């Protein structure tokens, strides 16, 4: 069963969680002085509209018309009840998922790529730089910039650049330029940290360029709240009140924030972050100020972290391989408003295959983390005989990650 | 702009074009005797329900409930108005496309894979065999059989098996078995003809197995008519009466038949088949009885053909590389009710890239043929200053065909 909303029912304002946090967020600190940073420190990287959103305490922020026009190419996304999965599990739980895989880039990432491209366009910036690991974020920004007529330069982790040519081809089809990172060491496999450093250096070194980030920051999570806002409307159409639990996979926090933040004010709704056991930021990291990148070029953020020099193992869910976490997500976990759980790789692919063989669609490796948690919640409901309502974010499809399934099905996957 | 229909508005009966054809179709002939074949000749390959649909003259055929339940996982599919493409072209034409890429397998193929799996299940057949070229049809059947608990054995053209591992991985994720064809000659690159022969031999040699075909036959086109039936409803929602022209890319004819057959009774609606210049069955073939496969194992069908020994060049639109064409499509073209046009490969990819950079989505190589024709119709409308209404089938996405775009963008594509 699916609930669609007509394009006119797209939310016209983002939900700002700031007024609902247990306490105001600590400010980011300058990497050199360790003093709180101000708007001017960020101006070489971001347009003023995004800098303002980063610190806004208004309950909502209006979505500009030209952004709505582009989002309506695929939004509102469907809410689906996974009745075939429920039947296979024999659970009394009702499992709903919000299908973000229907975007042109195949994930939730365009929800923020589009407004970021738009605000830069309005400020007269003709060129954006960014980093990408497996390629989801770089694809989304290439897509968004192509629609607003901006140039896009993507620094792609060299190991992925060489192993995942399809993502590079997708970015180039939208007109993006893609180079392997680190740019100055062709023998180095690269990391997200090195790619961020390349992209930031490029942007600050050219007057025609800004930098764009696909997760972690407040304005990114703000843009993603369309996911949860739509899901609330659709659950009502489905005859539900509120979900018992809202689940999202969590790397930097943008997908999880998107589905869960609009439910923060709803007491009694459990919020659940799912991360890989090999990169257990929320479940085993500590809360502290830390850099967003390996090289220490970015501001220091107050967050759960495994240390900015932590290099996660090369699991297939490349989008979840991040040493830190969004300050908003970190604050919610720290205050006990959000729970976190970690799963090993083999357990999440088991869930991904079960999903594909019941519901049909093949999920991204990142998304299988949320599916694993949803299945486990449904099995607990079965044991307790409870009619639990479970909502999770189906953050992306796995069509460009099929080699991961190949490894799983042929016993080549290690935890 | 998009028009969705709620799952309950899925058509509950397929549209049978048979009563609307200019003359009854000539019967298929037995490959050995050249006498008209009867149901018993086909029984080793297909369930009786499908054999009956093959010759039905009823105006509609009810869709079984369990088939509807599965189709509703992604149907009704959206009808989209390509306003950004229209603006880029500066045309007064209104361009609509029916988005069949949203199915789990990424194309229109599951529309017939699902009922084929269902009818075999009902007849107690636990295993299906089929062939696949680039892998779209094999993916669709692997998906459909997984949902009905059947085994699926796919014979994949060896050249594709080796060059396109992602399609094989997708089939295996749904539990399908995939082997390279020809099975008895590991040094041979294979062809669709050899793969059909392998799949048919397997099915007739085992009492537990049937064969499934993804295009050409009457029952396949029947199942695809949900596309055009939904589009008619959605055009009304969009405030249109009837389209001026309905466009579909054409290999064996299932996609084209799906979007166009429900418009056959509507006088004044032009129907347009688009094929590759390198495999110009309708535009340069002759009308005759011919075999469906290279080896001459299948019945002889009355159709446009380039000769069953014709081996098309290895263009990227693998789904359009077929020497023959559906008897229904052939009859419509022969009677002048449908037009046909052929395009070279570079022209269709030019259209595909323009589509991706305006509408966002990256189309399959097959689909770019329809887009090319839609663009050309819109440019004619611009020249004439006419408000033409154009409808085409967006038959599939190109996410597993990105190497084709890579070739195009880097000047490696030949016509």
């Amino acid at each position: 069963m699916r609930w669609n909303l007509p394009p006119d029912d797209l939310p016209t304002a983002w939900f700002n969680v700031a007024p609902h946090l247990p306490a105001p967020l600590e400010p980011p600190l300058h990497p050199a002085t360790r003093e709180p940073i101000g708007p001017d420190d960020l101006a070489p990287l971001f347009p003023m509209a995004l800098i303002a959103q980063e610190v806004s305490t208004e309950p909502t922020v209006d979505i500009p018309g030209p952004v709505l026009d582009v989002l309506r190419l695929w939004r509102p996304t469907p809410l689906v009840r996974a009745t075939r999965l429920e039947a296979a599990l024999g659970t009394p739980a009702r499992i709903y998922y919000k299908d973000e895989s229907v975007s042109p880039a195949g994930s939730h990432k365009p929800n923020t790529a589009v407004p970021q491209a738009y605000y830069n366009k309005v400020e007269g910036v003709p060129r954006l730089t960014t980093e990408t690991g497996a390629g989801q974020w770089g694809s989304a920004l290439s897509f968004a910039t192509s629609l607003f007529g901006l140039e896009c330069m993507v620094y792609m982790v060299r190991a992925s650049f060489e192993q995942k040519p399809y993502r590079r081809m997708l970015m180039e089809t939208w007109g993006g330029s893609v180079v392997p990172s680190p740019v100055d060491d062709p023998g180095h496999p690269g990391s997200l940290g090195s790619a961020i450093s390349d992209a930031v250096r490029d942007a600050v070194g050219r007057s025609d360029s800004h930098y764009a980030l696909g997760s972690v920051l407040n304005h990114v999570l703000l843009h993603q709240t369309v996911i949860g806002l739509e899901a609330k409307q659709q659950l009502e159409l489905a005859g539900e009140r509120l979900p018992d639990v809202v689940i999202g996979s969590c790397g930097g926090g943008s997908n999880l924030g998107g589905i869960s933040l609009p439910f923060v004010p709803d007491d009694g709704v459990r919020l659940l972050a799912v991360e890989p056991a090999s990169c257990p930021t929320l479940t085993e990291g500590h809360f502290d100020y830390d850099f967003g990148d390996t090289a220490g070029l970015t501001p220091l953020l107050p967050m759960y972290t495994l240390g900015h020099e932590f290099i996660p193992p090369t699991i297939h869910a490349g989008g979840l391989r991040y040493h830190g976490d969004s300050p908003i997500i970190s604050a919610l976990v720290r205050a006990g408003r959000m729970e976190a759980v970690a799963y090993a790789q083999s357990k999440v692919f088991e869930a991904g295959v079960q999903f594909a063989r019941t519901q049909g669609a093949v999920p991204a490796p990142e998304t299988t983390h949320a599916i694993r948690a949803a299945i486990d919640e449904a099995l607990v409901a079965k044991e307790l005989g409870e009619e639990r309502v479970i909502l999770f974010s189906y953050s992306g499809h796995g069509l460009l990650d099929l080699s991961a399934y190949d490894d799983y099905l042929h016993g080549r996957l290690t935890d």
Side-chain angles (χ1 to χ4, degrees), chain A:
Chain A
M1 281 183 282
R2 264 175 318 135
W3 289 268
N4 287 309
L5 294 172
D8 285 345
D9 280 11
L10 182 64
T12 56
W14 292 298
F15 173 86
N16 190 2
V17 77
H20 305 282
L21 290 177
L25 292 177
E26 300 292 319
L29 304 182
H30 193 284
T33 64
R34 299 213 160 216
E35 293 296 317
I37 55 168
D40 291 349
D41 295 310
L42 294 173
L45 294 180
F46 303 112
M48 274 301 158
L50 293 179
I51 296 171
Q53 289 177 4
E54 195 61 22
V55 295
S56 167
T57 54
E58 296 298 316
T60 61
V61 177
D62 284 348
I63 308 178
V67 171
L68 289 173
D69 284 346
V70 175
L71 294 181
R72 285 196 187 102
L73 286 173
W74 73 95
R75 302 206 72 87
T77 62
L79 180 78
V80 187
R81 182 163 163 204
T83 47
R84 303 180 70 91
L85 177 61
E86 291 169 15
L89 297 172
T91 177
R94 297 191 290 283
I95 306 175
Y96 295 87
Y97 65 92
K98 184 70 174 153
D99 187 0
E100 292 297 306
S101 76
V102 299
S103 80
S107 78
H108 68 292
K109 291 290 185 191
N111 294 333
T112 183
V114 171
Q116 290 196 46
Y118 167 77
Y119 288 120
N120 277 289
K121 168 91 173 179
V122 167
E123 205 168 275
V125 176
R127 182 174 175 272
L128 293 183
T129 73
T130 197
E131 75 290 333
T132 201
Q136 282 280 18
W137 168 241
S139 305
L141 196 67
S142 297
F143 154 71
T145 50
S146 83
L147 265 57
F148 287 105
L150 306 182
E151 276 183 72
C152 186
M153 168 60 81
V154 182
Y155 293 89
M156 186 170 188
V157 173
R158 179 172 278 106
S160 297
F161 183 88
E162 285 163 3
Q163 287 160 16
K164 305 201 168 178
Y166 267 36
R167 281 275 171 207
R168 186 224 353 121
M169 295 172 194
L170 184 57
M171 294 185 253
E172 290 179 348
T173 299
W174 280 313
S177 299
V178 190
V179 292
S181 167
V183 288
D184 53 3
D185 185 356
H188 195 290
S191 72
L192 216 43
S194 78
I196 294 178
S197 304
D198 278 337
V200 169
R201 269 193 214 103
D202 178 331
V204 298
R206 287 178 59 154
S207 61
D208 68 346
S209 299
H210 268 167
Y211 167 73
L213 189 63
S215 192
V216 180
L217 298 179
N218 302 346
H219 68 267
V220 178
L221 272 65
L222 177 78
H223 300 159
Q224 293 291 356
T225 57
V226 288
I227 305 173
L229 290 171
E230 289 176 8
K232 271 195 160 177
Q233 282 186 66
Q234 289 163 313
L235 280 172
E236 229 180 276
L237 287 179
E240 304 287 359
R241 257 177 45 82
L242 284 168
D244 292 290
V245 60
V246 179
I247 300 171
S249 60
C250 186
S254 77
N255 160 60
L256 172 63
I259 188 87
S260 68
L261 296 187
F263 292 96
V264 166
D266 299 305
D267 293 337
V269 176
R270 289 170 52 217
L271 310 177
L272 178 57
V274 193
E275 57 185 19
S278 54
C279 190
T281 314
L282 296 170
T283 49
E284 296 186 33
H286 63 288
F287 187 91
D288 201 355
Y289 269 105
D290 199 2
F291 296 106
D293 67 333
T294 315
L297 294 180
T298 72
L300 292 149
L301 299 172
M303 61 183 178
Y304 281 96
T305 176
L306 296 161
H308 65 277
E309 287 176 338
F310 177 80
I311 303 289
T314 54
I315 55 166
H316 283 290
L320 307 184
R321 294 179 64 236
Y322 188 62
H323 69 274
D325 223 308
S326 144
I328 288 174
I329 297 294
S330 297
L332 289 168
V333 170
R334 198 177 182 209
R337 179 65 189 91
M338 182 179 277
E339 306 160 39
V341 64
Y343 285 109
Q345 192 165 227
S346 58
K347 294 296 290 177
V348 301
F349 275 99
E350 181 188 67
V353 169
Q354 182 169 26
F355 189 87
R357 293 184 185 178
T358 52
Q359 293 296 126
V362 178
E366 291 82 0
T367 308
T368 59
H369 288 73
I371 296 173
R372 172 80 269 164
I375 288 174
D376 285 358
E377 288 282 334
L379 291 175
V380 169
K382 178 182 181 177
E383 220 171 274
L384 301 176
E386 281 182 14
E387 282 197 21
R388 208 170 276 195
V389 176
I390 299 167
L391 170 68
F392 73 90
S393 170
Y394 189 84
S395 51
H397 65 64
L399 293 177
L400 297 181
D401 306 281
L402 285 164
S403 58
Y405 285 89
D406 200 42
D407 284 351
Y408 172 73
L409 293 169
H410 294 91
R412 292 190 301 266
L413 203 71
T414 53
D415 276 336

